[in-house]
Amino acid sequence: SVEGDAIKVYVRVRPPSEGTALSDGDQGLCLSVLSSNTIRLHSKPEPKIFTFDYVANMETTQESVFSSVAKNIVESCMNGYNGTIFAYGQTGSGKTFTMMGPSDSDNFTHSLRGVIPRSFEYLFFLIEREKEKAGSGKSFLCKCSFIEIYNEQIFDLLDSASAGLFLREHIKKGVFVDGAVEQVLSSAAEAYQVLTTGWRNRRVASTSMNRESSRSHAVFTITVESMEKNNEIVNIRSSLLNLVDLAGSERQKDTHTEGLRLKEAGNINRSLSCLGQVITALVDVGNGKQRHICYRDSKLTFLLRDSLGGNAKTCIIANVHPGSRCFGETLSTLNFAQRAKLIKNKAVVNEDTQGNVS
Amino acid sequence: GEARLAAVRRAVLEYELGVNHTDTEELSAGEEHLQRCTQLLEPHRLSPDCVSLYIQAQNNLGILWSERDEIKTAQTYLESAEALYNQYMKEDGNPPLDPSEHFMAEEEKLTDQERSKRFEKAYTHTLYYLAQVYQHLEMIEKAAQYCHTTLKRQLEYCGYYPVEWALNAATLSQYYLSKQCFMESRHCLAAASVIFSQAGQVPSAEDNETEQDQQDLRQRKAEIARCWIKYCLNLLQSARKLLEDNIGELDPDRQSELKAQRRKEEDEKEKGRKKAVLFGTSDICDSVLAMEEKVSSVYPLDFQEAREIFLVGQNYVQEAKEFFQVDGYVTDHIEIVQDHSALFKVLAFFEEDYERRCKMHKRRIDMLEPIYADLNPQYYLLISRQLQFELADTYYEMMDLKVAIGNRLEELDSHTIKKINSLAQLAIKYYELFLDSLRNPDKVFPEQLEEDVLRPAMVAKFHIARLYGKLITSDSKKQLENMQTSLEYYTFLVDYCEKYPDAVRAVETELELSKEMVGLLPTRMERLRAKLCPFI
């Protein structure tokens, strides 16, 4: 459907950390939630109003975030569509709480568990229901992988011994991480088990290899395969559910999203390594002429190419901290979220038959 | 005297403090120091011991103001640095002192060669920052010009990595393509190829290149090949635009006119060459020129000329495919195949013989169809749509050619009729597949089409309508059915545009013809029906 293709954007406002609201002077808050889809940022001189698909205020429960954000995506995953849920926001804005739940506790049973454990539960609930409905004719196979992208290198979080992995494409299976471990799942609890193991590995890696988790993206992927036998015809369907924890948005300074800043030339390095970016930008504004740009997408956008528009269901949860100290980051997160709504893979169909209508 | 020396030394310290502050995001403190530095140097800025420092202070002020999102202010600093360099080179030109030398013992001082190298590098940075400033200010042409000059200076002063430089030059060629500056585009590409070939020869720092490095190198080579493909394609397509008449066929009058014009311009060609910025010193320049000679940069005006460019493009298609194989690089591989198909398509325009032209389109079918059959639309929906449309269009074009060939015959033979019908059916099949891809999960066709698929979807409907009208049958009942289907598709266009008037702009010609057909067809069908059942 027409509006269903666009990326859905949700904003969640976390409660201020204890004490800040009081000590921070004038109210201490830089925004207020006006309704379930608008937010007002107290910018000067004029306040700014943002509209999103859904805005969760500080009181919104984990359950209600899950139902409005993820439920739909898990369902369409059962119908053979790929789905992706991104969490975005600065470090400390509540991404992990939203996605996983309270830190350092068994989130799988905790009443405050996050979107991910709830998605697992719901997915396996739907699978069981399907199986019951279809009887022996239908079977399911779930597999998962968990990778981390740090500094444009890919690491397997389910195999801490592995070196950097590569992205490849398969004509039938799409983009995949070559050599990534795939683990078979038979229940939500098992899925959660794999996730936490990987999450722990991520922390270990970040201390031992000097990589900061706030600078890396983590992608947890579940493949759902269903096989249905109808007399002689075997119908196989497969889809992906990607759960993505993006690097802290404060790191976006390092990339071109930041705006007008000039890229500096390294003082020692003899290369002006960003010149390519400048030239690429010039070519990008070309006028629809056939051209090739030598510089690839980032690993993350390449991996999730299909999720950014096309025939996949995608949503972004933008987490913000309401403290006035975070004003700058919050503004840039809200701006990003607003831009995200416009992301769409364009179906550019070569169609130049104008002279040919007679 | 003493006072001047003290002032200059203080300026060096102010400069270092300024850079230190800006590096740690203390912008206002940084600005203060840098300002004081330039004030101290102002009276001496054209002297050899100050000019380099002054330029670098201005560079840093440019960066500082860009961090405050004040690009215009950054621009004034950088442009004045640029002007100072030019004035100094005109009035003095001796290798100036490097800022680091002010606190060096006499015996440590740099050689003239090293001084000049550092000074030129500071100025290259000025140009590089200006390229960015102009890009941010959307002065695209100027930005491209500064990128070009930066590349040129990197080459002159040996400040480059061959692979990186080659990729930048190849990418810049694509900018020139979009401006239809084929000579400049070719020059960039030839230089990219020449410089890239150096990369293979230079042993890398560790000497034991990993498998990954080799792989990277092969990929870069393939990327440059892809830029060449686009070059050939654009040159051919632009020539086609110049030469085609209002129904998309080669216009012989226009052709001879352009040929005459070209003979006249040939003499002036040398002059034009001098205007372009050339890369490299004599050695490199010779290799680049030799590389350039392998393909033309002027519009091809007949089949022979077009074929030569086509063949160069086709060679690069093979080269690019060696790396971008379908196993592992699906998207890239298919894009290259699509380019290959586009090369055939534009070559066919120059071919006068219809049978041979048809064979060229058949080649396109043969390369596109198997890939389409294997492709999973769940992951490659957009490419899948492009292939559907392109296949449909190719069959459509072939059918038109067969009809034209048939029209020259006394009478259509059964073989030709069968051929026309089967091509039309295949075209219909792929247009329908394309339209089906627009349906939602419940298989419902969208009420309102999205902007990006509006025109292709309408053209698909329109072409299907036409194709049903072209099907040849001796069975009148069947003919009536075909006319009925045709009418339905034409009606779709008319109704849709009535409901969504915004769509009219996208399909003006098609709509006009559809309206006409919606008016005509019922009468024709009535007549046919009367013939069929004369008694009712």
Side-chain angles (χ1 to χ4, degrees):
Chain A
S1 68
V2 171
E3 56 105 42
D5 291 342
I7 291 178
K8 291 252 191 288
V9 179
Y10 304 88
V11 172
R12 187 182 203 187
V13 182
R14 64 162 284 171
S17 6
E18 267 166 55
T20 47
L22 300 169
S23 65
D24 230 334
D26 57 290
Q27 291 176 321
L29 298 185
C30 66
L31 54 81
S32 35
V33 176
L34 300 183
S35 73
S36 63
N37 58 13
T38 50
I39 208 166
R40 179 168 59 203
L41 193 66
H42 309 310
S43 50
K44 281 171 191 140
E46 293 278 293
K48 224 176 151 195
I49 310 276
F50 289 88
T51 305
F52 298 102
D53 293 291
Y54 173 76
V55 175
N57 62 25
M58 298 174 205
E59 280 83 45
T60 312
T61 62
Q62 295 280 67
E63 170 61 29
S64 113
V65 169
F66 168 75
S67 356
S68 28
V69 176
K71 218 169 168 182
N72 202 327
I73 289 188
V74 178
E75 278 162 11
S76 55
C77 201
M78 289 297 290
N79 295 326
Y81 280 79
N82 298 335
T84 300
I85 303 170
F86 287 99
Y88 182 85
Q90 78 177 107
T91 306
S93 61
K95 274 184 299 174
T96 308
F97 180 78
T98 301
M99 296 302 277
M100 299 283 281
S103 51
D104 297 322
S105 59
D106 181 4
N107 279 317
F108 189 56
T109 51
H110 200 286
S111 60
L112 289 179
R113 64 194 183 281
V115 165
I116 292 177
R118 283 171 206 266
S119 298
F120 292 162
E121 284 158 33
Y122 191 52
L123 179 68
F124 281 93
F125 163 78
L126 291 177
I127 287 175
E128 288 309 316
R129 203 176 63 181
E130 276 292 289
K131 278 207 263 191
E132 260 168 46
K133 245 184 5 202
S136 59
K138 198 163 186 180
S139 60
F140 285 88
L141 176 62
C142 285
K143 285 177 294 188
C144 69
S145 65
F146 196 9
I147 57 127
E148 179 178 39
I149 302 175
Y150 176 79
N151 202 9
E152 287 298 290
Q153 275 183 292
I154 302 175
F155 301 96
D156 192 342
L157 290 173
L158 299 185
D159 174 15
S160 43
S162 80
L165 299 175
F166 294 100
L167 285 176
R168 289 169 67 80
E169 283 180 290
H170 187 275
I171 199 159
K172 293 272 185 236
K173 295 184 297 193
V175 183
F176 66 101
V177 181
D178 200 7
V181 169
E182 280 195 308
Q183 216 141 314
V184 176
L185 302 173
S186 57
S187 68
E190 221 173 277
Y192 195 74
Q193 188 56 45
V194 176
L195 177 76
T196 42
T197 312
W199 205 270
R200 219 173 294 132
N201 283 342
R202 191 182 180 195
R203 265 192 225 152
V204 173
S206 72
T207 41
S208 71
M209 298 178 71
N210 209 9
R211 45 185 217 238
E212 269 175 80
S213 77
S214 67
R215 272 179 182 264
S216 76
H217 310 291
V219 184
F220 188 84
T221 306
I222 304 186
T223 316
V224 185
E225 245 175 55
S226 68
M227 193 169 78
E228 195 166 13
K229 273 199 198 119
N230 235 331
N231 300 321
E232 287 309 294
I233 302 155
V234 183
N235 195 0
I236 295 178
R237 222 155 51 169
S238 132
S239 54
L240 301 177
L241 178 61
N242 297 306
L243 304 162
V244 186
D245 181 24
L246 290 174
S249 56
E250 68 274 16
R251 303 299 181 194
Q252 298 303 316
K253 270 204 187 99
D254 302 341
T255 72
H256 59 280
T257 54
E258 215 243 340
L260 290 175
R261 214 161 151 250
L262 300 187
K263 304 284 184 312
E264 284 178 56
N267 285 326
I268 312 153
N269 200 329
R270 62 192 159 134
S271 91
L272 304 178
S273 58
C274 291
L275 185 63
Q277 278 182 26
V278 183
I279 300 176
T280 303
L282 300 181
V283 184
D284 255 345
V285 287
N287 38 8
K289 284 255 184 317
Q290 291 257 359
R291 58 193 192 269
H292 178 68
I293 298 173
C294 296
Y295 297 89
R296 267 198 167 288
D297 310 336
S298 76
K299 291 274 186 334
L300 182 75
T301 50
F302 188 69
L303 177 65
L304 299 169
R305 180 147 63 180
D306 188 52
S307 309
L308 303 170
N311 53 346
K313 306 271 178 212
T314 303
C315 79
I316 291 177
I317 310 176
N319 291 276
V320 293
H321 192 295
S324 41
R325 242 184 252 166
C326 301
F327 176 82
E329 290 302 338
T330 298
L331 176 63
S332 92
T333 300
L334 294 177
N335 277 333
F336 169 86
Q338 200 138 67
R339 277 202 308 278
K341 279 213 75 69
L342 305 174
I343 299 175
K344 241 186 90 196
N345 278 346
K346 288 278 180 200
V348 184
V349 173
N350 300 321
E351 188 283 309
D352 59 351
T353 44
Q354 234 133 8
N356 213 356
V357 287
S358 51
Chain B
E2 275 306 299
R4 183 183 183 278
L5 186 66
V8 172
R9 285 189 172 170
R10 256 185 46 224
V12 178
L13 294 175
E14 294 287 358
Y15 171 79
E16 294 293 345
L17 282 167
V19 171
N20 209 342
H21 278 290
T22 39
D23 277 353
T24 50
E25 296 183 20
E26 302 271 352
L27 296 187
S28 8
E31 189 199 349
E32 229 171 273
H33 287 293
L34 289 170
Q35 285 294 11
R36 235 175 279 148
C37 168
T38 51
Q39 273 157 21
L40 287 163
L41 292 180
E42 199 60 50
H44 324 296
R45 63 199 162 88
L46 270 169
S47 64
D49 60 337
C50 296
V51 66
S52 188
L53 180 61
Y54 194 86
I55 284 176
Q56 290 185 47
Q58 301 238 344
N59 279 355
N60 276 285
L61 281 164
I63 291 168
L64 187 145
W65 281 100
S66 88
E67 295 200 20
R68 292 174 168 167
D69 278 2
E70 301 257 357
I71 289 293
K72 288 269 183 195
T73 314
Q75 183 189 2
T76 55
Y77 282 109
L78 293 166
E79 282 179 348
S80 91
E82 183 188 27
L84 180 60
Y85 171 87
N86 288 326
Q87 198 185 349
Y88 177 80
M89 290 311 270
K90 213 169 111 197
E91 292 177 10
D92 189 320
N94 289 309
L97 221 59
D98 188 68
S100 65
E101 290 183 89
H102 289 283
F103 290 102
M104 272 182 186
E106 201 54 47
E107 62 274 17
E108 284 176 299
K109 296 245 154 114
L110 304 173
T111 61
D112 270 0
Q113 198 191 1
E114 181 62 26
R115 279 180 182 166
S116 154
K117 205 178 124 191
R118 294 195 188 185
F119 180 55
E120 295 299 342
K121 198 169 132 184
Y123 179 62
T124 305
H125 285 176
T126 306
L127 298 177
Y128 163 69
Y129 297 135
L130 276 171
Q132 297 182 60
V133 161
Y134 295 134
Q135 181 222 322
H136 286 313
L137 295 174
E138 285 171 50
M139 298 159 78
I140 300 304
E141 209 167 312
K142 208 146 185 206
Q145 190 194 321
Y146 276 76
C147 285
H148 195 135
T149 318
T150 306
L151 283 175
K152 186 173 141 65
R153 292 180 55 90
Q154 280 184 282
L155 212 54
E156 270 166 35
Y157 299 101
C158 293
Y160 66 98
Y161 293 118
V163 176
E164 190 185 277
W165 194 95
L167 281 185
N168 285 339
T171 310
L172 187 61
S173 78
Q174 305 298 290
Y175 164 79
Y176 286 124
L177 271 193
S178 65
K179 298 276 165 221
Q180 292 190 292
C181 302
F182 292 103
M183 196 169 69
E184 287 82 354
S185 182
R186 182 181 68 171
H187 187 62
C188 285
L189 279 169
S193 289
V194 168
I195 298 297
F196 183 85
S197 65
Q198 294 181 346
Q201 296 155 11
V202 182
S204 72
E206 299 97 294
D207 217 27
N208 54 340
E209 276 185 16
T210 60
E211 174 73 16
Q212 182 54 37
D213 294 336
Q214 287 295 333
Q215 172 99 345
D216 274 351
L217 220 53
R218 290 202 300 129
Q219 175 167 346
R220 302 304 171 212
K221 188 163 181 251
E223 301 270 10
I224 294 171
R226 291 179 70 180
C227 290
W228 276 111
I229 299 171
K230 296 293 188 193
Y231 170 83
C232 296
L233 196 51
N234 273 280
L235 187 55
L236 286 164
Q237 285 171 339
S238 304
R240 175 190 171 150
K241 277 250 147 51
L242 281 182
L243 288 166
E244 72 187 354
D245 58 17
N246 55 4
I247 57 157
E249 288 289 320
L250 195 141
D251 181 341
D253 292 342
R254 190 89 184 97
Q255 186 179 30
S256 38
E257 191 185 310
L258 285 168
K259 281 195 168 176
Q261 192 186 326
R262 180 157 79 194
R263 274 193 297 277
K264 228 173 65 193
E265 280 168 6
E266 221 124 75
D267 314 321
E268 293 165 32
K269 212 166 98 187
E270 279 309 301
K271 279 186 218 156
R273 154 67 73 209
K274 279 178 202 130
K275 262 190 275 166
V277 193
L278 292 182
F279 282 128
T281 42
S282 56
D283 254 11
I284 289 171
C285 217
D286 287 347
S287 319
V288 172
L289 291 180
M291 186 79 204
E292 284 186 339
E293 268 166 31
K294 292 179 186 168
V295 58
S296 165
S297 73
V298 296
Y299 295 122
L301 296 178
D302 56 31
F303 181 76
Q304 200 44 47
E305 291 174 355
R307 187 171 165 274
E308 278 170 27
I309 296 164
F310 167 86
L311 287 174
V312 173
Q314 186 166 252
N315 275 333
Y316 281 114
V317 165
Q318 300 314 336
E319 187 178 317
K321 274 200 209 157
E322 271 170 39
F323 180 82
F324 291 113
Q325 296 178 12
V326 70
D327 180 21
Y329 298 93
V330 177
T331 310
D332 291 290
H333 181 85
I334 295 178
E335 281 169 4
I336 295 164
V337 173
Q338 286 175 314
D339 280 348
H340 197 183
S341 162
L343 279 169
F344 266 111
K345 183 178 178 174
V346 66
L347 181 67
F349 166 81
F350 290 90
E351 174 60 67
E352 281 163 46
D353 183 286
Y354 280 7
E355 286 290 353
R356 283 174 47 187
R357 202 192 279 192
C358 220
K359 288 202 176 93
M360 290 179 192
H361 290 305
K362 183 69 173 64
R363 290 284 302 274
R364 299 171 60 202
I365 297 284
D366 291 344
M367 60 178 88
L368 297 169
E369 218 161 35
I371 283 188
Y372 171 74
D374 278 344
L375 196 67
N376 182 347
Q378 191 184 352
Y379 297 100
Y380 298 102
L381 178 69
L382 303 184
I383 304 180
S384 181
R385 277 184 189 159
Q386 290 175 349
L387 292 177
Q388 285 158 346
F389 203 95
E390 179 140 355
L391 280 163
D393 249 14
T394 313
Y395 277 122
Y396 186 91
E397 213 154 327
M398 286 172 77
M399 182 222 51
D400 263 352
L401 284 167
K402 287 287 175 200
V403 171
I405 293 166
N407 284 345
R408 289 178 188 164
L409 304 172
E410 292 274 295
E411 199 180 345
L412 279 180
D413 57 285
S414 69
H415 175 74
T416 310
I417 291 174
K418 246 170 90 181
K419 193 81 212 167
I420 290 171
N421 280 343
S422 95
L423 289 170
Q425 294 288 7
L426 284 162
I428 290 172
K429 171 184 139 184
Y430 282 107
Y431 281 127
E432 291 289 10
L433 283 168
F434 170 74
L435 291 169
D436 283 344
S437 82
L438 304 177
R439 291 172 190 272
N440 74 4
D442 305 320
K443 309 273 174 252
V444 181
F445 196 77
E447 183 69 19
Q448 187 176 3
L449 291 157
E450 296 226 27
E451 207 190 342
D452 50 350
V453 291
L454 174 67
R455 169 141 179 99
M458 296 296 248
V459 169
K461 292 270 188 190
F462 178 77
H463 281 185
I464 294 172
R466 267 198 82 216
L467 284 157
Y468 275 104
K470 293 264 174 182
L471 287 172
I472 303 163
T473 171
S474 52
D475 178 351
S476 311
K477 240 180 90 191
K478 189 85 200 135
Q479 199 187 341
L480 200 60
E481 271 174 39
N482 290 341
M483 285 166 98
Q484 179 60 41
T485 315
S486 189
L487 178 63
E488 280 161 22
Y489 279 88
Y490 283 126
T491 311
F492 175 90
L493 247 81
V494 176
D495 289 352
Y496 188 93
C497 290
E498 208 152 284
K499 197 162 170 201
Y500 305 104
D502 280 353
V504 176
R505 245 178 325 124
V507 282
E508 248 163 302
T509 328
E510 288 82 0
L511 180 64
E512 201 180 304
L513 286 159
S514 297
K515 277 184 180 158
E516 207 173 297
M517 290 311 279
V518 169
L520 282 174
L521 271 174
T523 338
R524 274 193 215 159
M525 286 162 73
E526 214 38 63
R527 238 180 285 146
L528 188 63
R529 239 180 245 126
K531 247 196 327 198
L532 228 104
C533 314
F535 305 114
I536 297 170

